[in-house]
């Protein structure tokens, strides 16, 4: 800080030195002025000037020392209090924009909350006519038309479901209800929802559950399974089979969902859980949103579920859910 102060006040220091040299030069030119007296005056002047500079150093740098030591934050309460007009000017220039930004952020946060609430309300309202549409489709006698309508209905249903859970994920901790969950009814419920789509593509399911009970939240686990199953059905070849298996390894329950689809390019494997990522070689797929796996990964983290993937191009993809042991899960939750 001393070096900074000297750089800031170098013009003052040069002026003081220049005045001393000017007095010495005048004594040299004017014989009536005693050189000894002028030198004595210069000595006193330099002492006083040095004391003045030292005092001003401590007075002027106190504010800026605290400012320099302060962490970079928008909390204006950590700012040092100004002790001079210039310091007050600096203080006002820092606090005014921060206060304005905080006001705007508060307003924007309120607007976002309102938009979220309105969207959630709209989604719930849309579910009513969507349910009515499902009943109308069920009464359709034309099998081909019924299959096409059901496929499009499923797409709308899943998109709304994704949007609903996307808005809830930031507050997932407030929505969790942890209990022992039986995987079998949960899986069959999700498979039943996909039944018409699977019939259309001739896809079957082979379910083998060596371990079917896990500690988790049933609603959010169902959402994660929904994303994996829809992905498996979407990318499976017609007439193929999706294998779902569970097992216990080192005290942890694992659940695998394996399809025989087109597989994932190795360069895409590290990015499939990124928000909005679809594929580097399937950009023509207009139906892909790149949100399903991203949301599944986001939802799995608070549940202590680890999602991994293995895939071979042309042979299929296997997603593995690894559930935490009960004591590990409680540690994660901070219980």
């Amino acid at each position: 800080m001393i070096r900074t102060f000297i750089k800031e006040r170098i013009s003052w220091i040069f002026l003081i030195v220049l005045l001393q040299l000017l007095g010495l030069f005048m004594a040299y030119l004017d014989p009536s002025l005693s050189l000894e007296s002028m030198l004595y005056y210069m000595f006193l002047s330099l002492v006083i000037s040095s004391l003045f500079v030292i005092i001003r150093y401590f007075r002027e740098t106190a504010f800026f020392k605290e400012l320099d030591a302060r962490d970079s934050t928008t909390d204006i309460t950590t700012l040092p209090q100004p002790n001079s007009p210039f310091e007050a000017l600096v203080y006002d220039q820092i606090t005014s924009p921060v206060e304005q930004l905080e006001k705007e952020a508060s307003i924007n946060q309120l607007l976002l909350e309102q938009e979220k609430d309105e969207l959630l309300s709209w989604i719930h309202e849309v579910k009513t006519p969507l349910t009515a549409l499902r009943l109308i489709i069920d009464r359709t006698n034309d099998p081909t038309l019924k299959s096409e309508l059901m496929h499009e209905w499923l797409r709308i249903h899943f998109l709304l479901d994704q949007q609903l859970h996307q808005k809830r994920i930031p507050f997932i901790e407030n929505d969790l209800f942890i209990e022992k969950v039986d995987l079998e009814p949960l899986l069959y419920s999700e498979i039943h929802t996909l039944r018409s789509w699977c019939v259309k593509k001739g896809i079957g399911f082979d379910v083998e559950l060596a371990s079917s009970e896990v500690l988790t939240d049933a609603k959010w686990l169902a959402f994660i399974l929904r994303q994996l199953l829809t992905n498996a059905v979407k990318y499976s070849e017609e007439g193929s089979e999706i294998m779902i298996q569970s097992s216990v390894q080192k005290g942890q329950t694992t659940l695998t969902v394996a399809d025989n689809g087109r597989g994932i390019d190795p360069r895409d494997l590290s990015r499939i859980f990124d928000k909005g990522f679809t594929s580097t070689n399937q950009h023509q797929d207009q139906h892909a949103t790149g949100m399903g796996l991203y949301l599944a990964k986001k939802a799995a983290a608070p549940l202590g579920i680890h999602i991994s993937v293995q895939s071979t191009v042309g042979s299929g993809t296997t997603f593995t859910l690894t559930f935490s042991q009960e004591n590990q899960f409680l540690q994660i939750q901070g219980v």
Side-chain angles (χ1 to χ4, degrees), residues 28 32 38 44 53 57 63 94 109 138-139 144 155 195 207 223 225 234 243 254 275 278 281 295 325 328 333:
Y28 174 75
S32 63
M38 185 57 67
L44 291 177
V53 170
Y57 166 77
F63 175 81
I94 294 174
Q109 183 65 32
D138 288 340
R139 292 199 299 267
T144 304
R155 286 179 56 198
R195 181 171 56 86
V207 181
F223 172 73
L225 292 174
K234 180 178 180 179
M243 177 75 72
T254 62
K275 186 176 182 178
T278 52
N281 58 1
L295 294 175
Q325 295 178 352
Q328 291 177 333
Q333 296 299 310

Side-chain angles (χ1 to χ4, degrees), residues 94-136:
I94 294 174
T95 57
S96 296
V98 171
E99 289 174 349
Q100 182 64 30
L101 286 173
E102 287 181 346
K103 289 179 181 178
E104 292 178 0
S106 179
I107 294 172
N108 290 335
Q109 183 65 32
L110 180 61
L111 292 174
L112 284 173
E113 288 292 328
Q114 291 176 347
E115 182 183 354
K116 184 200 75 173
D117 293 339
E118 290 170 0
L119 181 58
L120 291 177
S121 176
W122 178 82
I123 291 173
H124 285 296
E125 288 177 6
V126 169
K127 283 186 174 182
T128 301
L130 201 62
T131 302
L133 181 60
R134 173 66 184 270
L135 295 174
I136 294 172

Side-chain angles (χ1 to χ4, degrees), residues 209-237:
L209 301 178
S211 175
S212 63
E213 195 174 75
V214 293
L215 182 67
T216 188
D217 180 278
K219 181 174 65 176
W220 283 100
L221 177 58
F223 172 73
I224 295 170
L225 292 174
R226 200 173 306 140
Q227 308 314 305
L228 300 185
L229 292 175
T230 52
N231 245 40
V233 174
K234 180 178 180 179
Y235 296 114
S236 289
E237 298 293 335

Side-chain angles (χ1 to χ4, degrees), residues 1-237:
M1 187 59 71
I2 294 177
R3 182 177 297 177
T4 304
F5 177 78
I6 292 174
K7 287 182 180 179
E8 179 66 23
R9 298 301 183 215
I10 191 68
S11 57
W12 286 17
I13 296 172
F14 277 144
L15 177 61
I16 293 171
V17 173
L18 181 62
L19 290 175
Q20 308 309 310
L21 293 176
L22 178 62
L24 188 63
F25 182 67
M26 290 175 62
Y28 174 75
L29 293 178
D30 190 349
S32 63
L33 294 175
S34 170
L35 185 60
E36 290 79 6
S37 298
M38 185 57 67
L39 288 172
Y40 181 65
Y41 165 77
M42 288 176 61
F43 171 75
L44 291 177
S45 178
L46 285 173
V47 170
I48 294 172
S49 298
S50 299
L51 290 174
F52 172 77
V53 170
I54 292 171
I55 292 171
R56 294 309 303 173
Y57 166 77
F58 288 107
R59 288 287 300 275
E60 294 183 16
T61 59
F63 175 81
F64 294 100
K65 280 181 178 178
E66 291 185 49
L67 195 64
D68 184 56
R70 173 178 171 266
D71 293 331
S72 297
T73 175
T74 56
D75 183 8
I76 59 177
T77 60
T78 62
L79 286 171
Q81 291 301 311
N83 296 310
S84 71
F86 279 147
E87 290 176 5
L89 181 62
V90 171
Y91 183 87
D92 291 339
Q93 288 297 315
I94 294 174
T95 57
S96 296
V98 171
E99 289 174 349
Q100 182 64 30
L101 286 173
E102 287 181 346
K103 289 179 181 178
E104 292 178 0
S106 179
I107 294 172
N108 290 335
Q109 183 65 32
L110 180 61
L111 292 174
L112 284 173
E113 288 292 328
Q114 291 176 347
E115 182 183 354
K116 184 200 75 173
D117 293 339
E118 290 170 0
L119 181 58
L120 291 177
S121 176
W122 178 82
I123 291 173
H124 285 296
E125 288 177 6
V126 169
K127 283 186 174 182
T128 301
L130 201 62
T131 302
L133 181 60
R134 173 66 184 270
L135 295 174
I136 294 172
I137 293 173
D138 288 340
R139 292 199 299 267
T140 303
N141 295 322
D142 187 336
T144 304
L145 178 61
K146 184 176 182 178
S147 176
E148 293 294 335
L149 289 173
M150 195 61 195
H151 177 64
E152 297 304 321
W153 182 90
L154 275 175
R155 286 179 56 198
I156 298 172
H157 172 72
F158 286 137
L159 287 173
L160 285 174
D161 183 69
Q162 274 190 5
Q163 190 64 242
L164 178 65
H165 285 83
Q166 183 179 353
K167 293 300 180 182
R168 286 177 172 172
I169 277 179
F171 315 98
I172 186 173
E173 286 82 2
N174 302 327
D175 192 40
L176 293 180
F177 180 71
I178 306 303
E179 59 182 341
K180 292 285 186 178
V181 176
D182 191 352
L183 289 173
E184 187 171 350
L186 205 64
L187 276 168
Y188 281 115
S189 175
E190 295 302 323
I191 291 172
H192 180 74
T193 305
L194 298 167
R195 181 171 56 86
S196 60
W197 191 8
C198 294
V199 170
K200 182 181 178 181
K201 294 188 68 173
I203 293 174
F205 286 88
D206 185 357
V207 181
E208 297 179 7
L209 301 178
S211 175
S212 63
E213 195 174 75
V214 293
L215 182 67
T216 188
D217 180 278
K219 181 174 65 176
W220 283 100
L221 177 58
F223 172 73
I224 295 170
L225 292 174
R226 200 173 306 140
Q227 308 314 305
L228 300 185
L229 292 175
T230 52
N231 245 40
V233 174
K234 180 178 180 179
Y235 296 114
S236 289
E237 298 293 335

